Amino acid sequence: MSVFDAVPGVRAIAGYRRAWLVKDVVAGVVLTTLLVPQGMAYAELAGLPPITGLYTSILCLLGYAVSGPSRILVLGPDSSLGPMIAATIVPLVAADGDPDRAVALASMLAILVAAIMIAASAARLGFVADLISKPTMIGYMNGLALTILVGQLPKLFGFKVDADGLLGEARGFAEGLADGRTVGAAAAVGITGVAVVLVLQRRLPKVPAVLVMVLLAMAASGLLDLDDHGVDTVGVLPKGFPAPAVPDVRAHDIVLLLAGAAGIALVSLADTISTASAFAARTGQQVRGDQEMAGIGVANLAAGLFQGFPVSTSGSRTAVAARSGAKTQLTGVVGAALITLMIVLVPGLFRALPQPALAAVVITASLSLADLPGTVRLWRQRRAEFLLAVAAFLGVALLGVLEGIAIAVALSILNVFRRAWWPYETVLGRVDGLEGYHDVRSYPDAAHLPGLVIYRFDAPLFFANARTFRDEILKLARADPPPAWIVIAAEPMTDVDTTASDMLQDLDEDLNAGGVSLVFAELKDPVRRKIERYGLTRTIDPRHFFPTIEAAVAAFRAETGADWLAPGDARDPERPRTRPGPGAS
């Protein structure tokens, strides 16, 4: 492996063009206006001090600039990861409520995510991003959006709720409203902030809506002395930059963090691959899943060593960078440098920023996670996948975000098994004016040959569906009159395992006893070699393997003299006689 492959940042520097510099710097300045408020807001969403969001943004941008393969992907704190981070670390912090311990746990969580990503990259496991199907991801994100929204409502209205889970937080918010705990000024700032962001994003998409809202909220805070009216503000951020250090956590805490780290790694990878694919299509780049895993891993490692927390790709921030003319990861480096200058030189810049404004940032971000049109489309197009989305949604809403991602993965995997377990199967016939043989469900007037059934099973034949295959074949064999040949249109049958092989042997012997031959057509060569290795050709006549369905039909007609019949034609009272070959079948 060359240094260009191991460290993509070196390749970027070697191929950098002077004409890109101004565009990257301008894009970096614009991006910073979004990185700062979102970084602080998502840190609080994760249950951490706002400053940690800025540390995280700086280090992950630098880490990905060195190790990430994409030219313009922007990593950072993400709204989809915030609840997962909180769900992982809050139970460990709850006993003593120490914010420093929360930061240490979150930083160790980032390091664990990095270790998982880098190890998976080395093992070339980039395909794990496909473990969550789109319907279950839609349901998961819808549940996550609702969880974030409900969790931020008390902060938007100026009070706190001590509750866990969506239902508990919803109940606590309703009780807070009923008890009159709402701070009017806070609610006004928060609700106005949400409205400003949504209107600007819809009407003026090129305007930095979050920045405009944050500046307006800070101006209102200063002019109206909102802190005197019960509105909490961010306050002065700690000055300076932390020294690199391995988080000080107990060994048993690491064990408890591992499950959360695995879930965060999976969601982060899936989000990154989908975002990278979308932007790579525009720039002509190729998505390299394994390198993306390594890039995310290094970004998380850098964040974890500097009091940061796990990060992912942000589609919205990447879109802002792209619209601003970003050409390379120098855009992120410029953003990291500007944030560093801010916290070193002017840490009090955002001291007047109202906390309800940060809640507004998170709520508007959560709304972008939900995909209601996609959910409706699933309902209209495929009810089974709609139910998967609903199940994933309920898993997040009722059980929690970590349990929800586990349910989403489990449902995706079970759906794959369901399709393989009960695949589509049908009988084929000949249709006038169309070449080949076609599904009689789609073409009920398809012609058939008396004594011959052409059966297609659209899946590999393995232990989970072997019984289903056998039962369908036996059902066809019990027809009145029974067929002489059952031809398996085996082109979709990409594998036959040993369990299925034993089943085929027993099935063929049962069919032979009734005078029915089991015949295969279009069986792929690798599968045919497996069948020969299993010894099945001792039971199934080797002459009953045909390269095409046409060849099998021609052999049957030559042997029996049968002719095609339409469904309405009279059947011969006796099935065509076949000349028995040597051996069985």
Side-chain angles (χ1 to χ4, degrees):
M1 179 183 292
S2 69
V3 67
F4 290 143
D5 293 327
V7 188
V10 174
R11 182 197 302 118
I13 294 173
Y16 197 83
R17 301 177 187 175
R18 185 179 300 177
W20 294 345
L21 181 60
V22 173
K23 293 182 179 180
D24 279 340
V25 171
V26 171
V29 173
V30 174
L31 182 62
T32 305
T33 64
L34 188 62
L35 290 171
V36 173
Q38 284 192 344
M40 292 191 294
Y42 297 160
E44 294 209 331
L45 176 62
L48 299 166
I51 188 64
T52 61
L54 302 184
Y55 296 155
T56 302
S57 298
I58 294 168
L59 271 302
C60 74
L61 288 172
L62 296 177
Y64 190 82
V66 172
S67 60
S70 173
R71 291 179 185 172
I72 63 169
L73 276 189
V74 178
L75 267 66
D78 190 70
S79 58
S80 64
L81 298 188
M84 299 182 73
I85 297 169
T88 304
I89 67 171
V90 167
L92 301 179
V93 179
D96 47 27
D98 182 2
D100 291 336
R101 175 164 160 74
V103 172
L105 288 169
S107 298
M108 180 55 71
L109 187 61
I111 292 174
L112 292 175
V113 171
I116 292 171
M117 287 289 194
I118 293 172
S121 173
R124 300 188 179 277
L125 298 179
F127 65 88
V128 298
D130 300 327
L131 284 178
I132 310 180
S133 66
K134 187 171 183 179
T136 49
M137 194 62 165
I138 287 175
Y140 173 77
M141 286 299 180
N142 286 342
L144 193 60
L146 182 60
T147 300
I148 294 172
L149 175 62
V150 172
Q152 291 295 303
L153 286 176
K155 185 176 176 180
L156 194 77
F157 282 73
F159 62 92
K160 295 180 180 180
V161 169
D162 185 14
D164 293 323
L166 175 65
L167 297 181
E169 290 178 338
R171 187 184 305 111
F173 174 65
E175 291 173 352
L177 290 180
D179 294 342
R181 295 167 56 194
T182 300
V183 177
V189 170
I191 295 172
T192 302
V194 171
V196 168
V197 173
L198 294 180
V199 169
L200 288 178
Q201 286 178 341
R202 184 175 181 84
R203 301 294 183 183
L204 300 170
K206 293 186 177 180
V207 173
V210 171
L211 176 64
V212 171
M213 184 274 290
V214 165
L215 292 177
L216 290 175
M218 290 170 59
S221 179
L223 292 174
L224 303 176
D225 295 324
L226 292 182
D227 51 351
D228 293 336
H229 292 80
V231 180
D232 292 333
T233 58
V234 171
V236 178
L237 299 174
K239 187 175 182 179
F241 202 76
V246 176
D248 183 16
V249 299
R250 295 185 285 268
H252 77 273
D253 288 336
I254 295 177
V255 176
L256 297 175
L257 291 172
L258 279 173
I264 290 170
L266 181 59
V267 171
S268 179
L269 178 62
D271 192 21
T272 297
I273 295 298
S274 62
T275 304
S277 299
F279 284 92
R282 303 179 191 178
T283 60
Q285 281 190 283
Q286 182 180 1
V287 177
R288 297 183 291 276
D290 295 325
Q291 280 198 344
E292 287 293 355
M293 293 179 84
I296 302 169
V298 172
N300 275 281
L301 178 61
L305 293 175
F306 287 86
Q307 298 184 18
F309 50 85
V311 297
S312 178
T313 300
S314 168
S316 61
R317 292 190 288 271
T318 302
V320 167
R323 285 199 304 266
S324 302
K327 296 298 182 183
T328 70
Q329 287 295 328
L330 180 61
T331 295
V333 174
V334 171
L338 291 176
I339 299 173
T340 302
L341 290 175
M342 186 202 79
I343 61 177
V344 170
L345 301 179
V346 282
L349 184 62
F350 288 90
R351 64 181 180 275
L353 177 60
Q355 290 285 356
L358 291 181
V361 173
V362 174
I363 287 174
T364 53
S366 73
L367 296 177
S368 67
L369 295 177
D371 188 359
L372 298 183
T375 307
V376 173
R377 186 173 64 252
L378 290 175
W379 169 259
R380 292 174 178 171
Q381 295 178 351
R382 190 158 183 165
R383 298 292 171 85
E385 295 197 343
F386 170 79
L387 293 176
L388 286 176
V390 171
F393 169 81
L394 293 176
V396 177
L398 301 180
L399 300 179
V401 291
L402 290 179
E403 294 81 358
I405 191 61
I407 289 172
V409 172
L411 287 174
S412 296
I413 295 173
L414 287 175
N415 192 37
V416 172
F417 276 100
R418 180 187 66 84
R419 293 177 182 178
W421 199 342
W422 295 298
Y424 185 76
E425 47 81 28
T426 189
V427 171
L428 305 180
R430 192 177 72 168
V431 180
D432 288 340
L434 293 178
E435 293 185 1
Y437 299 85
H438 303 276
D439 190 339
V440 297
R441 293 172 182 165
S442 300
Y443 298 93
D445 295 330
H448 67 283
L449 280 172
L452 177 74
V453 174
I454 305 172
Y455 173 74
R456 191 181 72 208
F457 189 78
D458 289 352
L461 193 57
F462 68 116
F463 67 93
N465 61 24
R467 184 185 298 272
T468 301
F469 177 87
R470 184 199 63 186
D471 292 347
E472 291 298 327
I473 294 296
L474 291 177
K475 186 186 299 183
L476 293 173
R478 287 194 294 265
D480 185 20
W485 280 20
I486 297 178
V487 177
I488 309 301
E491 193 274 335
M493 199 174 290
T494 56
D495 192 20
V496 175
D497 73 358
T498 55
T499 302
S501 170
D502 292 342
M503 177 276 298
L504 286 175
Q505 180 174 332
D506 295 340
L507 175 64
D508 189 59
E509 291 173 352
D510 290 344
L511 293 176
N512 290 339
V516 180
S517 294
L518 190 62
V519 179
F520 287 86
E522 298 183 342
L523 195 65
K524 292 179 170 60
D525 288 343
V527 182
R528 171 68 186 273
R529 287 193 290 270
K530 287 183 180 180
I531 284 179
E532 292 173 347
R533 190 162 62 248
Y534 298 151
L536 271 176
T537 49
R538 293 195 302 268
T539 304
I540 302 175
D541 190 339
R543 296 177 302 171
H544 283 171
F545 290 89
F546 295 91
T548 64
I549 298 176
E550 288 83 356
V553 169
F556 179 79
R557 294 186 67 189
E559 188 167 312
T560 65
D563 202 2
W564 292 98
L565 293 177
D569 293 342
R571 283 180 175 267
D572 292 337
E574 297 183 0
R575 68 179 182 177
R577 297 182 181 273
T578 61
R579 295 190 296 272
S585 195

